[in-house]
Amino acid sequence: MSVSPLEALPLDELRQRSSTKWRSYPGDVIPMFVAETDFALAPAIARTLTEAVTRGDTGYTPPDPGLRGAFTAFAARRYGWEIEPTRIRSTGDVMMGVVELLRATIRPGDRVVIAPPVYPPFSMCIPEAGGVVEEVPLRDTGDAWALDLRGIEAALAGGARAVLLCNPHNPTGTVHSRETLAALADLAKRFGAVVISDEIHAPLVYPGGTFTPFLAASATAAEVGYAVTSASKAYNLAGLKCALMISASERTAAVVNGLWPEVEWRTGLFGALAGVAAFSPESDAWLDAQMAALDVNRRLLADLLAEHLPRARYRTPDAGYLAWIDVSAYGWGDDPARRILRDAKVALHHGPLFGPQGVGHVRLNFGCAPEVLTEAVRRIGALART
């Protein structure tokens, strides 16, 4: 059954927002850098938050605001993943959860594997937790990106004690297969390491793709892994501060339950209320409509690049609304986003922040109206012709 795409809000309305996306640059700049989308909130979320404000429900987050039940039902419905509700705890955001889990599972100075190009805070949160970053870049197979399992094996054999996984991967939109995740779990078990899987983009996998939660990839993955996720990327709730830390075995559950109580106290009440509404069946139709809109845009972007930036290299992502684009052929320097901002008035994310593999690249957020996406690429294309 086809789903009608969600329509993005008009620019004049969006520019009234006070979030990072809309307050970082002057009004003549099209902002397409940070992972915020341009759609109205899902009705169930908007209603829930409005009712909370009306009744002055702005206090501390209770021990069980309903998140465990809402997410376990969502995971079963959308992923076919059965989770024990008691093995879920909340915190303020995904990176908070990652830092606390790393602190609980590695020793100061231990090396932690990441797979660049990858979300820039990965390289920041590891030192915050006392670890040392070890890069094992994604492999370019020629038509896709994949984890370098041999490289990860060598890193673990050399003493790395954890793998910080992005599943699905940001910025490439790669959806890792069950087989790949199970093989990663086997490596972690063999070398006595853990895997912490950031699954914040999981609800954003396009039709035809299958998201496999790391903890569900195999019995071994359940033993060695932790998952951290949130409704924030799929439902545009980053400012409300709520994420979930999930375990799937008695041993890993003991680690999560052993975190300081303050870790859970950092959960925002509005984030918890919005998360429950987001994960409810009532919001499924909204999510499906948003995915239909994003599907249109990821394909439109390919056409626009072919027309206006034919030397750019872009693979249509299998998940998410972030496009990883190689524009190095245009000679705009190691960090082309700077030139594009200055001369085309389009704000993109800086490729080198994602690792050395990001030189000559930009990340573009296409969670917007098709007309906005078209104008942005047209502006950049004009720059290429000067």
Side-chain angles (χ1 to χ4, degrees), residues 101 104-105 194-199 214-215 221-228 245-248 251-256:
L101 288 170
T105 55
V194 300
V195 177
I196 299 173
S197 184
D198 170 359
E199 301 185 349
F214 179 77
L215 299 180
E223 294 175 15
V224 302
Y226 303 85
V228 191
M245 302 173 292
I246 307 167
S247 57
R251 185 187 64 80
T252 54
V255 172
V256 175

Side-chain angles (χ1 to χ4, degrees), residues 176-256:
H176 303 300
S177 69
R178 180 181 298 274
E179 293 75 19
T180 294
L181 298 175
L184 176 62
D186 289 342
L187 290 175
K189 182 174 182 179
R190 190 199 315 170
F191 294 105
V194 300
V195 177
I196 299 173
S197 184
D198 170 359
E199 301 185 349
I200 199 170
H201 295 274
L204 297 168
V205 174
Y206 292 99
T210 300
F211 168 68
T212 300
F214 179 77
L215 299 180
S218 68
T220 301
E223 294 175 15
V224 302
Y226 303 85
V228 191
T229 193
S230 173
S232 60
K233 286 293 186 289
Y235 300 89
N236 206 39
L237 304 175
L240 299 186
K241 295 300 174 184
C242 179
L244 303 175
M245 302 173 292
I246 307 167
S247 57
S249 72
E250 289 188 12
R251 185 187 64 80
T252 54
V255 172
V256 175

Side-chain angles (χ1 to χ4, degrees), residues 323-335:
W324 187 238
I325 309 172
D326 180 355
V327 293
S328 58
Y330 290 98
W332 294 335
D334 289 352
D335 188 2

Side-chain angles (χ1 to χ4, degrees), residues 213-299:
F214 179 77
L215 299 180
S218 68
T220 301
E223 294 175 15
V224 302
Y226 303 85
V228 191
T229 193
S230 173
S232 60
K233 286 293 186 289
Y235 300 89
N236 206 39
L237 304 175
L240 299 186
K241 295 300 174 184
C242 179
L244 303 175
M245 302 173 292
I246 307 167
S247 57
S249 72
E250 289 188 12
R251 185 187 64 80
T252 54
V255 172
V256 175
N257 290 331
L259 298 176
W260 290 99
E262 185 61 29
V263 173
E264 194 159 40
W265 275 104
R266 294 170 188 156
T267 308
L269 178 59
F270 275 16
L273 295 173
V276 170
F279 294 135
S280 73
E282 187 178 354
S283 293
D284 282 357
W286 181 93
L287 179 58
D288 291 341
Q290 179 183 233
M291 292 306 301
L294 297 175
D295 194 14
V296 169
N297 279 359
R298 68 175 179 149
R299 300 174 191 278

Side-chain angles (χ1 to χ4, degrees), residues 74-357:
F74 178 87
R77 197 169 64 247
R78 305 289 296 200
Y79 313 143
W81 182 24
E82 299 295 332
I83 310 170
E84 172 54 54
T86 59
R87 290 178 174 167
I88 300 175
R89 291 188 73 187
S90 67
T91 190
D93 59 41
V94 164
M95 286 299 104
M96 269 187 204
V98 167
V99 168
E100 296 302 335
L101 288 170
L102 282 172
R103 284 177 175 152
T105 55
I106 67 170
R107 296 173 298 182
D110 278 350
R111 285 176 284 124
V112 179
V113 175
I114 62 172
V118 73
Y119 185 49
F122 274 31
S123 295
M124 305 173 196
C125 72
I126 291 169
E128 182 181 348
V132 176
V133 173
E134 178 157 354
E135 296 184 350
V136 179
L138 291 178
R139 288 190 307 111
D140 185 345
T141 67
D143 56 7
W145 299 96
L147 292 176
D148 181 357
L149 292 174
R150 288 187 178 179
I152 294 173
E153 179 179 18
L156 295 175
R161 294 277 65 87
V163 177
L164 181 50
L165 175 70
C166 202
N167 178 41
H169 198 90
N170 170 10
T172 63
T174 304
V175 178
H176 303 300
S177 69
R178 180 181 298 274
E179 293 75 19
T180 294
L181 298 175
L184 176 62
D186 289 342
L187 290 175
K189 182 174 182 179
R190 190 199 315 170
F191 294 105
V194 300
V195 177
I196 299 173
S197 184
D198 170 359
E199 301 185 349
I200 199 170
H201 295 274
L204 297 168
V205 174
Y206 292 99
T210 300
F211 168 68
T212 300
F214 179 77
L215 299 180
S218 68
T220 301
E223 294 175 15
V224 302
Y226 303 85
V228 191
T229 193
S230 173
S232 60
K233 286 293 186 289
Y235 300 89
N236 206 39
L237 304 175
L240 299 186
K241 295 300 174 184
C242 179
L244 303 175
M245 302 173 292
I246 307 167
S247 57
S249 72
E250 289 188 12
R251 185 187 64 80
T252 54
V255 172
V256 175
N257 290 331
L259 298 176
W260 290 99
E262 185 61 29
V263 173
E264 194 159 40
W265 275 104
R266 294 170 188 156
T267 308
L269 178 59
F270 275 16
L273 295 173
V276 170
F279 294 135
S280 73
E282 187 178 354
S283 293
D284 282 357
W286 181 93
L287 179 58
D288 291 341
Q290 179 183 233
M291 292 306 301
L294 297 175
D295 194 14
V296 169
N297 279 359
R298 68 175 179 149
R299 300 174 191 278
L300 172 62
L301 178 57
D303 293 339
L304 290 169
L305 291 173
E307 179 181 356
H308 296 285
L309 290 162
R311 296 164 68 192
R313 293 190 295 173
Y314 158 70
R315 288 180 181 143
T316 306
D318 295 320
Y321 46 82
L322 305 171
W324 187 238
I325 309 172
D326 180 355
V327 293
S328 58
Y330 290 98
W332 294 335
D334 289 352
D335 188 2
R338 295 184 181 276
R339 173 84 183 275
I340 291 169
L341 174 61
R342 186 189 69 201
D343 295 340
K345 303 299 183 184
V346 178
L348 305 178
H349 211 325
H350 303 276
L353 293 180
F354 294 79
Q357 298 73 21

